[in-house]
Amino acid sequence: MKTPSVLQTLLTQSFESERSLRHFSTLASQELISLLASALGDLEAPGNSFESTKNSLERAIFLSRNLRYFSSGARADLSLTDLSQLVLDCVQLREHAFQKKNISLEVRVESSVFGLVDALAIEQAILNCLDFAFSQSEVGSQVAFNLQVVNQGLQFSVGLEGASKDGAGEKHPLQPTALEQLEASNLGLLGLTVASVIAEAHSGTFQCFKSKEEGTQLLLQLPFDARMNKQPHLFREKRRHQRVRVDFSGVLSSGTGQSFPGRVTVLSAGGCFVALSQDVVSKLSVGDSVSLSIQTDADHLLSIPLARVANTHPTGENSGVGLEFLELDLKSKNLLAALVKAHAS
């Protein structure tokens, strides 16, 4: 049998990747359309409490982030994170669904485990694993969820019960299994593929093990520096807020009443970067008080009544100013938080 050339192998891999992306995109777009249509229907229903609308929109954002991670990869924005608390928060978000299906959650989490990770990306990976476990578990079964520090590094594991619950008969140990060989919904496989992408972006690994008797185990391993547990103050977070790349039109207004159009290219809950022409940047100085209007879409305008120029970039293609937000109303804070989480990847 003739061995395929390197070029043939690359072309085959490229074809398979594109086919998977198209397949996942088709399925995800169908669910997205259904979720958004349901949310619209809820809004028009008399006496609606908006809880079902909120749930549909949160699910739509979550699914959209999976597609974004899958299609464009993950660019880890690392910061010091309390992973123990992050894992418990993820469990709390999904616990009610497990209880409604009468699935028992056995959670074992080591306390005060810190790591340099992209918190939103790791949250997405963990929630994808929990969603997969929920979709694959039978009523009345048990799911084990662990976070521990092992010799290989930091380890998240999700274990699903197998078919055999007694000690009789021969048992086959867990064996490594490719994600494509799992009997699961395609959107469930998309979630696990995204978890793998996120693990790789953190220089970690994501593996799946399976046997009929022992069940299924998902294993996410990340590099871990033991010094972070002993002296977390040595590894201070570089930034207070998660930053995401966006492309919104905006208008910056100076204290003198002048207005300058620009593009908001980086956004966080605490500030942003506004791309401006070099001529405009030359008129601004660090410490200046400004206001900013951001057009997030055709129907929504985000207004920042007071911001401070934190830094300036007067030359080059990336000229602009970095702003620190000083005043935000509750609506703006909620919208910013939703935008940052939705665009994180």
Side-chain angles (χ1 to χ4, degrees):
M1 183 177 178
K2 187 177 179 180
T3 303
S5 66
V6 175
L7 179 58
Q8 288 175 320
T9 302
L10 290 174
L11 289 173
T12 301
Q13 292 175 345
S14 177
F15 173 77
E16 292 297 330
S17 296
E18 183 176 349
R19 186 173 68 172
S20 297
L21 177 58
R22 289 181 180 275
H23 186 53
F24 284 142
S25 297
T26 300
L27 293 170
S29 63
Q30 290 175 1
E31 183 167 341
L32 280 171
I33 290 170
S34 299
L35 287 167
L36 295 173
S38 298
L40 182 60
D42 289 338
L43 288 173
E44 295 176 347
N48 178 37
S49 66
F50 295 110
E51 186 63 29
S52 59
T53 306
K54 179 175 177 288
N55 292 337
S56 294
L57 294 176
E58 286 179 345
R59 174 64 181 169
I61 290 173
F62 183 80
L63 197 58
S64 298
R65 292 188 65 216
N66 267 344
L67 271 178
R68 187 167 181 178
Y69 278 120
F70 181 77
S71 61
S72 61
R75 297 178 293 276
D77 186 15
L78 306 181
S79 61
L80 184 63
T81 302
D82 184 345
L83 292 166
S84 301
Q85 188 60 51
L86 176 65
V87 170
L88 293 174
D89 289 344
C90 289
V91 171
Q92 187 176 17
L93 285 172
R94 295 293 190 263
E95 189 173 21
H96 182 64
F98 280 87
Q99 290 174 345
K100 287 182 65 176
K101 197 176 175 181
N102 194 28
I103 300 172
S104 170
L105 267 178
E106 180 187 355
V107 182
R108 296 181 179 179
V109 176
E110 286 193 25
S111 62
S112 301
V113 176
F114 288 83
L116 282 174
V117 299
D118 185 325
L120 289 178
I122 295 299
E123 178 189 81
Q124 189 84 6
I126 294 173
L127 291 177
N128 278 330
C129 292
L130 286 173
D131 287 352
F132 176 83
F134 174 80
S135 66
Q136 295 299 108
S137 297
E138 298 179 357
V139 174
S141 63
Q142 179 175 289
V143 172
F145 188 66
N146 300 328
L147 166 66
Q148 59 185 142
V149 179
V150 297
N151 291 334
Q152 296 84 355
L154 185 65
Q155 179 175 287
F156 301 92
S157 65
V158 181
L160 289 69
E161 283 186 350
S164 176
K165 298 181 182 178
D166 55 38
E170 180 183 359
K171 291 188 176 181
H172 298 87
L174 291 166
Q175 297 291 332
T177 303
L179 297 182
E180 296 79 8
Q181 296 177 354
L182 293 175
E183 297 178 2
S185 69
N186 285 296
L187 288 179
L189 293 180
L190 169 62
L192 297 188
T193 304
V194 168
S196 179
V197 169
I198 291 170
E200 185 177 341
H202 286 78
S203 301
T205 60
F206 182 80
Q207 296 173 286
C208 178
F209 300 87
K210 187 176 176 64
S211 80
K212 183 177 180 181
E213 297 81 12
E214 297 295 330
T216 304
Q217 184 182 59
L218 307 175
L219 200 62
L220 173 62
Q221 290 187 323
L222 302 174
F224 181 73
D225 190 333
R227 293 175 297 172
M228 293 184 186
N229 251 1
K230 296 177 181 178
Q231 296 174 301
H233 60 279
L234 295 179
F235 297 85
R236 294 180 180 175
E237 186 177 353
K238 292 181 180 179
R239 291 180 296 272
R240 290 180 300 156
H241 302 285
Q242 174 89 20
R243 301 188 306 177
V244 295
R245 293 195 177 278
V246 295
D247 186 16
F248 298 140
S249 63
V251 177
L252 184 147
S253 300
S254 69
T256 60
Q258 293 179 291
S259 295
F260 310 106
R263 305 292 301 182
V264 177
T265 58
V266 177
L267 184 66
S268 79
C272 68
F273 182 82
V274 185
L276 299 164
S277 68
Q278 297 180 24
D279 291 340
V280 172
V281 177
S282 65
K283 300 176 182 178
L284 300 169
S285 302
V286 173
D288 284 354
S289 294
V290 298
S291 61
L292 179 68
S293 296
I294 306 174
Q295 193 77 45
T296 58
D297 59 53
D299 298 317
H300 293 86
L301 185 68
L302 175 61
S303 296
I304 312 297
L306 182 61
R308 181 183 73 88
V309 177
N311 53 69
T312 62
H313 298 264
T315 60
E317 295 180 356
N318 298 318
S319 62
V321 295
L323 300 183
E324 177 188 4
F325 299 153
L326 300 179
E327 288 186 9
L328 290 169
D329 59 24
L330 182 59
K331 181 180 178 181
S332 297
K333 288 181 180 178
N334 291 338
L335 179 55
L336 276 174
L339 286 170
V340 169
K341 188 165 186 177
H343 286 275
S345 65

